[in-house]
Amino acid sequence: FSVCKPGQPYGALVGAVLGDCVGGEFEGAEEVPMENVLRHLNGLDDETKGDGTLEYSDDTAMARCVVQSLLTRAGFDEQDMARRFAKEYSLAPGRGYGSGVIQVLKKLSSSQLSDVYQPARDQFNGRGSFGNGGAMRVAPFALAFPDLSDVKKYSRSGAMLTHSCSLGYNGAVLQALAVHLSLQGALELPAQFLDKLISEMEEVEDEEASRNDARALKEAEKPFCERLYRLRDLMDRSKVSIEEVICELGNGIAALHSVPTAIFCVLHCLQPRESLPPHYGGLERTMAYSLALGGDTDTIACMAGAIAGAHYGIEVIPEAWMKCCEGAKEAEVTAQRLHALYHQR
Ligand code: 8NA
Ligand code: MG
Ligand code: MG
């Protein structure tokens, strides 16, 4: 695949912010009629809406820390990143963090901490978190590192600062890989894109720690691969209902129940869909569809937004959406700086 076009890295970071901001409206809702989603999205075009009306949540707050750390340290520095997570949380604790991760963030602010990975290991009686908090903030790693093996290595380490269960950090690796491939234009060939993700995750989930965690949680031997196979089956069907997607892939706060879902949203919305307005472009379709799944809408839309944004680029993002989402303009600027790092490598 070719080197990505200039608008793609911006699209990835901005897409993630938009998903978080726009998706916040329906977070935790069990059922979200498409009608309500479209009303919400149409409302963004309202000129009377002020700048940054829709606030970002933990997803973007933590992604900003990742960006700033990668930029300041010109690479991955776990001490620096951990410190930024802790500081961000102490300054703005009300951004909707998961109830477990708060303990980690508090411990990370201690000056006596010798191992920044330890607080995450202590979570959930030593099992570690399998939440999607590592995955929701991972897109910047795909922008900063051109090499696939670096993307895998650093996205995993970055996630492990809060998520030590393999079902948490492997979700982050999968999401980072999806953004990485999308930046390279891999979504032009959706079937191959998915094959590549599966073959990479087959290797990732072959590790002993992954196998042990999967067994302990009574999941399939390679849980993310299993979900990606289900995803492929769904893609092959001519019609698939929202209920089937939720049933097969999930819409919850576990990485396993949301990262494959986000990838599905992107793939499903590569083409026009009956349930979505015909004037919508691919990014708008992806957003609307992600929200209509309900559940962890901000995070699923954030992850889908990063992958879709990397594919379509910043040019297709509606100006009105940029304007009313807090942090969107800033993401555009930092993406540019982050991508300069990519070219230095
Ligand atoms: P986390 O590490 O606290 O995990 C999220 C939740 O998953 C925990 O609070 C637990 O309920 C559960 N969980 C994770 N690991 C285990 C385990 N090993 N055993 C039992 N339960 C476990 O936080 P996170 O950073 O992963 O969370 C990210 C999500 O929380 C994002 O969606 C973010 O937006 C936020 N959030 C979501 C909602 C929602 O309703 N969907 C609401 C508020 C906040
Ligand atoms: Mg959130
Ligand atoms: Mg969420």
mmCIF file of all heavy atoms in Angstrom, residues 22 26 34-49 54 276-280 284 287-288 291 318 320-321 324:
data_model
loop_
_atom_site.group_PDB
_atom_site.id
_atom_site.type_symbol
_atom_site.label_atom_id
_atom_site.label_comp_id
_atom_site.label_asym_id
_atom_site.label_seq_id
_atom_site.Cartn_x
_atom_site.Cartn_y
_atom_site.Cartn_z
ATOM 1 N N VAL A 22 -19.700 13.072 20.161
ATOM 2 C CA VAL A 22 -21.037 12.860 19.607
ATOM 3 C C VAL A 22 -21.706 11.652 20.261
ATOM 4 O O VAL A 22 -22.914 11.621 20.487
ATOM 5 C CB VAL A 22 -20.908 12.680 18.073
ATOM 6 C CG1 VAL A 22 -22.177 12.140 17.476
ATOM 7 C CG2 VAL A 22 -20.546 14.006 17.420
ATOM 8 N N PHE A 26 -25.546 9.150 23.998
ATOM 9 C CA PHE A 26 -26.286 7.891 24.170
ATOM 10 C C PHE A 26 -25.543 6.860 25.014
ATOM 11 O O PHE A 26 -25.930 5.697 25.062
ATOM 12 C CB PHE A 26 -26.603 7.286 22.796
ATOM 13 C CG PHE A 26 -27.373 8.205 21.893
ATOM 14 C CD1 PHE A 26 -26.760 8.798 20.805
ATOM 15 C CD2 PHE A 26 -28.699 8.492 22.153
ATOM 16 C CE1 PHE A 26 -27.465 9.661 19.969
ATOM 17 C CE2 PHE A 26 -29.426 9.348 21.325
ATOM 18 C CZ PHE A 26 -28.799 9.944 20.223
ATOM 19 N N MET A 34 -32.651 4.739 15.411
ATOM 20 C CA MET A 34 -31.871 5.516 14.435
ATOM 21 C C MET A 34 -32.423 6.934 14.291
ATOM 22 O O MET A 34 -31.669 7.892 14.071
ATOM 23 C CB MET A 34 -31.868 4.787 13.079
ATOM 24 C CG MET A 34 -30.984 5.430 12.048
ATOM 25 S SD MET A 34 -29.236 5.568 12.520
ATOM 26 C CE MET A 34 -28.596 4.000 11.964
ATOM 27 N N GLU A 35 -33.730 7.049 14.416
ATOM 28 C CA GLU A 35 -34.398 8.348 14.359
ATOM 29 C C GLU A 35 -33.769 9.338 15.368
ATOM 30 O O GLU A 35 -33.507 10.489 15.040
ATOM 31 C CB GLU A 35 -35.835 8.070 14.810
ATOM 32 C CG GLU A 35 -36.934 8.846 14.194
ATOM 33 C CD GLU A 35 -38.223 8.440 14.910
ATOM 34 O OE1 GLU A 35 -38.560 7.237 14.871
ATOM 35 O OE2 GLU A 35 -38.848 9.335 15.520
ATOM 36 N N ASN A 36 -33.539 8.847 16.583
ATOM 37 C CA ASN A 36 -32.948 9.703 17.620
ATOM 38 C C ASN A 36 -31.499 10.070 17.289
ATOM 39 O O ASN A 36 -31.061 11.190 17.541
ATOM 40 C CB ASN A 36 -32.983 9.003 18.978
ATOM 41 C CG ASN A 36 -34.392 8.738 19.450
ATOM 42 O OD1 ASN A 36 -35.345 8.919 18.690
ATOM 43 N ND2 ASN A 36 -34.533 8.293 20.690
ATOM 44 N N VAL A 37 -30.794 9.105 16.714
ATOM 45 C CA VAL A 37 -29.403 9.356 16.324
ATOM 46 C C VAL A 37 -29.360 10.463 15.278
ATOM 47 O O VAL A 37 -28.593 11.421 15.387
ATOM 48 C CB VAL A 37 -28.752 8.069 15.753
ATOM 49 C CG1 VAL A 37 -27.394 8.380 15.132
ATOM 50 C CG2 VAL A 37 -28.609 7.007 16.833
ATOM 51 N N LEU A 38 -30.230 10.335 14.268
ATOM 52 C CA LEU A 38 -30.209 11.304 13.169
ATOM 53 C C LEU A 38 -30.633 12.692 13.651
ATOM 54 O O LEU A 38 -30.085 13.705 13.211
ATOM 55 C CB LEU A 38 -31.091 10.821 12.014
ATOM 56 C CG LEU A 38 -30.633 9.491 11.383
ATOM 57 C CD1 LEU A 38 -31.558 9.066 10.252
ATOM 58 C CD2 LEU A 38 -29.188 9.571 10.885
ATOM 59 N N ARG A 39 -31.559 12.713 14.590
ATOM 60 C CA ARG A 39 -31.985 14.008 15.144
ATOM 61 C C ARG A 39 -30.805 14.663 15.869
ATOM 62 O O ARG A 39 -30.535 15.856 15.721
ATOM 63 C CB ARG A 39 -33.168 13.816 16.101
ATOM 64 C CG ARG A 39 -33.888 15.129 16.372
ATOM 65 C CD ARG A 39 -35.079 15.001 17.321
ATOM 66 N NE ARG A 39 -35.945 13.868 17.019
ATOM 67 C CZ ARG A 39 -36.210 12.876 17.878
ATOM 68 N NH1 ARG A 39 -35.670 12.867 19.077
ATOM 69 N NH2 ARG A 39 -37.020 11.892 17.540
ATOM 70 N N HIS A 40 -30.103 13.846 16.642
ATOM 71 C CA HIS A 40 -28.928 14.349 17.379
ATOM 72 C C HIS A 40 -27.862 14.877 16.408
ATOM 73 O O HIS A 40 -27.323 15.975 16.593
ATOM 74 C CB HIS A 40 -28.370 13.206 18.231
ATOM 75 C CG HIS A 40 -27.108 13.523 18.985
ATOM 76 N ND1 HIS A 40 -26.980 14.620 19.813
ATOM 77 C CD2 HIS A 40 -25.907 12.873 19.050
ATOM 78 C CE1 HIS A 40 -25.763 14.622 20.345
ATOM 79 N NE2 HIS A 40 -25.091 13.576 19.890
ATOM 80 N N LEU A 41 -27.595 14.111 15.371
ATOM 81 C CA LEU A 41 -26.549 14.522 14.416
ATOM 82 C C LEU A 41 -26.975 15.743 13.606
ATOM 83 O O LEU A 41 -26.169 16.637 13.339
ATOM 84 C CB LEU A 41 -26.183 13.352 13.492
ATOM 85 C CG LEU A 41 -25.479 12.160 14.172
ATOM 86 C CD1 LEU A 41 -25.174 11.057 13.168
ATOM 87 C CD2 LEU A 41 -24.191 12.592 14.884
ATOM 88 N N ASN A 42 -28.246 15.796 13.230
ATOM 89 C CA ASN A 42 -28.734 16.973 12.498
ATOM 90 C C ASN A 42 -28.617 18.230 13.350
ATOM 91 O O ASN A 42 -28.340 19.317 12.844
ATOM 92 C CB ASN A 42 -30.203 16.792 12.092
ATOM 93 C CG ASN A 42 -30.341 15.818 10.936
ATOM 94 O OD1 ASN A 42 -29.384 15.585 10.202
ATOM 95 N ND2 ASN A 42 -31.520 15.234 10.777
ATOM 96 N N GLY A 43 -28.796 18.058 14.642
ATOM 97 C CA GLY A 43 -28.715 19.183 15.577
ATOM 98 C C GLY A 43 -27.330 19.824 15.595
ATOM 99 O O GLY A 43 -27.180 20.984 15.964
ATOM 100 N N LEU A 44 -26.323 19.059 15.178
ATOM 101 C CA LEU A 44 -24.955 19.599 15.190
ATOM 102 C C LEU A 44 -24.779 20.680 14.130
ATOM 103 O O LEU A 44 -23.877 21.512 14.215
ATOM 104 C CB LEU A 44 -23.921 18.488 14.949
ATOM 105 C CG LEU A 44 -23.975 17.282 15.880
ATOM 106 C CD1 LEU A 44 -22.862 16.316 15.548
ATOM 107 C CD2 LEU A 44 -23.871 17.715 17.335
ATOM 108 N N ASP A 45 -25.639 20.656 13.129
ATOM 109 C CA ASP A 45 -25.541 21.652 12.054
ATOM 110 C C ASP A 45 -26.161 22.989 12.453
ATOM 111 O O ASP A 45 -26.055 23.968 11.726
ATOM 112 C CB ASP A 45 -26.247 21.130 10.789
ATOM 113 C CG ASP A 45 -25.556 19.891 10.239
ATOM 114 O OD1 ASP A 45 -24.322 19.804 10.393
ATOM 115 O OD2 ASP A 45 -26.247 19.015 9.688
ATOM 116 N N ASP A 46 -26.814 22.996 13.619
ATOM 117 C CA ASP A 46 -27.480 24.197 14.091
ATOM 118 C C ASP A 46 -26.448 25.298 14.372
ATOM 119 O O ASP A 46 -25.575 25.146 15.227
ATOM 120 C CB ASP A 46 -28.254 23.845 15.379
ATOM 121 C CG ASP A 46 -29.062 25.017 15.913
ATOM 122 O OD1 ASP A 46 -28.840 26.151 15.450
ATOM 123 O OD2 ASP A 46 -29.910 24.779 16.781
ATOM 124 N N GLU A 47 -26.580 26.392 13.639
ATOM 125 C CA GLU A 47 -25.612 27.500 13.730
ATOM 126 C C GLU A 47 -25.551 28.121 15.124
ATOM 127 O O GLU A 47 -24.542 28.705 15.510
ATOM 128 C CB GLU A 47 -25.976 28.600 12.721
ATOM 129 C CG GLU A 47 -25.697 28.228 11.270
ATOM 130 C CD GLU A 47 -24.206 28.102 10.974
ATOM 131 O OE1 GLU A 47 -23.434 28.903 11.516
ATOM 132 O OE2 GLU A 47 -23.830 27.190 10.215
ATOM 133 N N THR A 48 -26.629 27.981 15.876
ATOM 134 C CA THR A 48 -26.659 28.630 17.192
ATOM 135 C C THR A 48 -25.838 27.870 18.230
ATOM 136 O O THR A 48 -25.583 28.357 19.308
ATOM 137 C CB THR A 48 -28.116 28.748 17.708
ATOM 138 O OG1 THR A 48 -28.661 27.420 17.815
ATOM 139 C CG2 THR A 48 -28.963 29.575 16.775
ATOM 140 N N LYS A 49 -25.441 26.647 17.874
ATOM 141 C CA LYS A 49 -24.609 25.859 18.804
ATOM 142 C C LYS A 49 -23.242 26.537 18.961
ATOM 143 O O LYS A 49 -22.597 26.874 17.985
ATOM 144 C CB LYS A 49 -24.392 24.449 18.238
ATOM 145 C CG LYS A 49 -25.564 23.520 18.471
ATOM 146 C CD LYS A 49 -25.149 22.390 19.398
ATOM 147 C CE LYS A 49 -26.330 21.736 20.069
ATOM 148 N NZ LYS A 49 -26.946 20.714 19.293
ATOM 149 N N LEU A 54 -20.271 20.055 22.728
ATOM 150 C CA LEU A 54 -20.235 18.657 23.151
ATOM 151 C C LEU A 54 -18.868 18.371 23.755
ATOM 152 O O LEU A 54 -17.850 18.437 23.067
ATOM 153 C CB LEU A 54 -20.491 17.723 21.958
ATOM 154 C CG LEU A 54 -21.835 17.868 21.262
ATOM 155 C CD1 LEU A 54 -21.912 16.923 20.066
ATOM 156 C CD2 LEU A 54 -22.982 17.575 22.227
ATOM 157 N N LEU A 276 -29.640 4.558 6.527
ATOM 158 C CA LEU A 276 -28.918 5.825 6.725
ATOM 159 C C LEU A 276 -29.182 6.800 5.579
ATOM 160 O O LEU A 276 -29.376 6.390 4.440
ATOM 161 C CB LEU A 276 -27.422 5.540 6.838
ATOM 162 C CG LEU A 276 -27.029 4.723 8.073
ATOM 163 C CD1 LEU A 276 -25.638 4.138 7.940
ATOM 164 C CD2 LEU A 276 -27.123 5.581 9.329
ATOM 165 N N PRO A 277 -29.193 8.112 5.891
ATOM 166 C CA PRO A 277 -29.491 9.117 4.858
ATOM 167 C C PRO A 277 -28.539 8.987 3.653
ATOM 168 O O PRO A 277 -27.332 8.847 3.860
ATOM 169 C CB PRO A 277 -29.243 10.445 5.569
ATOM 170 C CG PRO A 277 -29.338 10.144 7.029
ATOM 171 C CD PRO A 277 -28.903 8.722 7.195
ATOM 172 N N PRO A 278 -29.081 9.025 2.437
ATOM 173 C CA PRO A 278 -28.249 8.853 1.245
ATOM 174 C C PRO A 278 -27.207 9.961 1.059
ATOM 175 O O PRO A 278 -26.200 9.742 0.388
ATOM 176 C CB PRO A 278 -29.262 8.857 0.094
ATOM 177 C CG PRO A 278 -30.521 9.404 0.665
ATOM 178 C CD PRO A 278 -30.510 9.148 2.127
ATOM 179 N N HIS A 279 -27.449 11.136 1.660
ATOM 180 C CA HIS A 279 -26.470 12.219 1.477
ATOM 181 C C HIS A 279 -25.287 12.098 2.448
ATOM 182 O O HIS A 279 -24.329 12.852 2.353
ATOM 183 C CB HIS A 279 -27.144 13.589 1.636
ATOM 184 C CG HIS A 279 -27.613 13.880 3.034
ATOM 185 N ND1 HIS A 279 -28.831 13.459 3.507
ATOM 186 C CD2 HIS A 279 -27.015 14.533 4.057
ATOM 187 C CE1 HIS A 279 -28.964 13.853 4.771
ATOM 188 N NE2 HIS A 279 -27.875 14.496 5.129
ATOM 189 N N TYR A 280 -25.360 11.154 3.357
ATOM 190 C CA TYR A 280 -24.255 10.952 4.298
ATOM 191 C C TYR A 280 -23.039 10.370 3.595
ATOM 192 O O TYR A 280 -23.153 9.455 2.788
ATOM 193 C CB TYR A 280 -24.671 9.979 5.403
ATOM 194 C CG TYR A 280 -25.225 10.624 6.658
ATOM 195 C CD1 TYR A 280 -25.642 11.949 6.665
ATOM 196 C CD2 TYR A 280 -25.330 9.894 7.842
ATOM 197 C CE1 TYR A 280 -26.153 12.521 7.821
ATOM 198 C CE2 TYR A 280 -25.842 10.453 9.000
ATOM 199 C CZ TYR A 280 -26.255 11.773 8.981
ATOM 200 O OH TYR A 280 -26.759 12.327 10.119
ATOM 201 N N GLU A 284 -19.810 9.910 8.251
ATOM 202 C CA GLU A 284 -21.087 10.199 8.913
ATOM 203 C C GLU A 284 -21.894 8.917 9.116
ATOM 204 O O GLU A 284 -22.517 8.715 10.156
ATOM 205 C CB GLU A 284 -21.893 11.215 8.087
ATOM 206 C CG GLU A 284 -21.264 12.603 8.087
ATOM 207 C CD GLU A 284 -21.506 13.359 6.796
ATOM 208 O OE1 GLU A 284 -21.009 12.885 5.749
ATOM 209 O OE2 GLU A 284 -22.185 14.395 6.833
ATOM 210 N N MET A 287 -20.424 6.990 12.047
ATOM 211 C CA MET A 287 -20.798 7.597 13.333
ATOM 212 C C MET A 287 -22.238 7.243 13.693
ATOM 213 O O MET A 287 -22.529 6.801 14.802
ATOM 214 C CB MET A 287 -20.679 9.128 13.252
ATOM 215 C CG MET A 287 -19.279 9.637 13.173
ATOM 216 S SD MET A 287 -18.490 9.457 14.791
ATOM 217 C CE MET A 287 -16.800 9.505 14.304
ATOM 218 N N ALA A 288 -23.128 7.476 12.750
ATOM 219 C CA ALA A 288 -24.546 7.236 13.014
ATOM 220 C C ALA A 288 -24.781 5.772 13.381
ATOM 221 O O ALA A 288 -25.484 5.456 14.345
ATOM 222 C CB ALA A 288 -25.378 7.626 11.786
ATOM 223 N N LEU A 291 -23.561 4.849 16.916
ATOM 224 C CA LEU A 291 -24.439 5.369 17.967
ATOM 225 C C LEU A 291 -25.711 4.536 18.095
ATOM 226 O O LEU A 291 -26.216 4.323 19.196
ATOM 227 C CB LEU A 291 -24.801 6.838 17.676
ATOM 228 C CG LEU A 291 -23.900 7.912 18.283
ATOM 229 C CD1 LEU A 291 -22.430 7.643 18.056
ATOM 230 C CD2 LEU A 291 -24.275 9.295 17.778
ATOM 231 N N PRO A 318 -17.574 17.110 8.440
ATOM 232 C CA PRO A 318 -18.371 18.332 8.355
ATOM 233 C C PRO A 318 -17.832 19.414 9.292
ATOM 234 O O PRO A 318 -17.517 19.136 10.447
ATOM 235 C CB PRO A 318 -19.767 17.890 8.817
ATOM 236 C CG PRO A 318 -19.778 16.399 8.691
ATOM 237 C CD PRO A 318 -18.376 15.949 8.877
ATOM 238 N N ALA A 320 -19.306 21.834 10.693
ATOM 239 C CA ALA A 320 -20.161 22.074 11.862
ATOM 240 C C ALA A 320 -19.844 21.082 12.985
ATOM 241 O O ALA A 320 -19.883 21.436 14.165
ATOM 242 C CB ALA A 320 -21.630 21.963 11.462
ATOM 243 N N TRP A 321 -19.517 19.861 12.616
ATOM 244 C CA TRP A 321 -19.170 18.847 13.636
ATOM 245 C C TRP A 321 -17.858 19.219 14.315
ATOM 246 O O TRP A 321 -17.716 19.102 15.526
ATOM 247 C CB TRP A 321 -19.027 17.461 13.003
ATOM 248 C CG TRP A 321 -20.292 16.861 12.475
ATOM 249 C CD1 TRP A 321 -21.405 17.525 12.059
ATOM 250 C CD2 TRP A 321 -20.556 15.455 12.308
ATOM 251 N NE1 TRP A 321 -22.354 16.621 11.622
ATOM 252 C CE2 TRP A 321 -21.857 15.355 11.766
ATOM 253 C CE3 TRP A 321 -19.827 14.290 12.532
ATOM 254 C CZ2 TRP A 321 -22.447 14.122 11.467
ATOM 255 C CZ3 TRP A 321 -20.407 13.066 12.242
ATOM 256 C CH2 TRP A 321 -21.710 12.990 11.710
ATOM 257 N N CYS A 324 -18.480 22.051 16.937
ATOM 258 C CA CYS A 324 -19.159 21.857 18.219
ATOM 259 C C CYS A 324 -18.560 20.759 19.085
ATOM 260 O O CYS A 324 -19.021 20.541 20.198
ATOM 261 C CB CYS A 324 -20.662 21.694 18.031
ATOM 262 S SG CYS A 324 -21.087 20.294 17.055
#
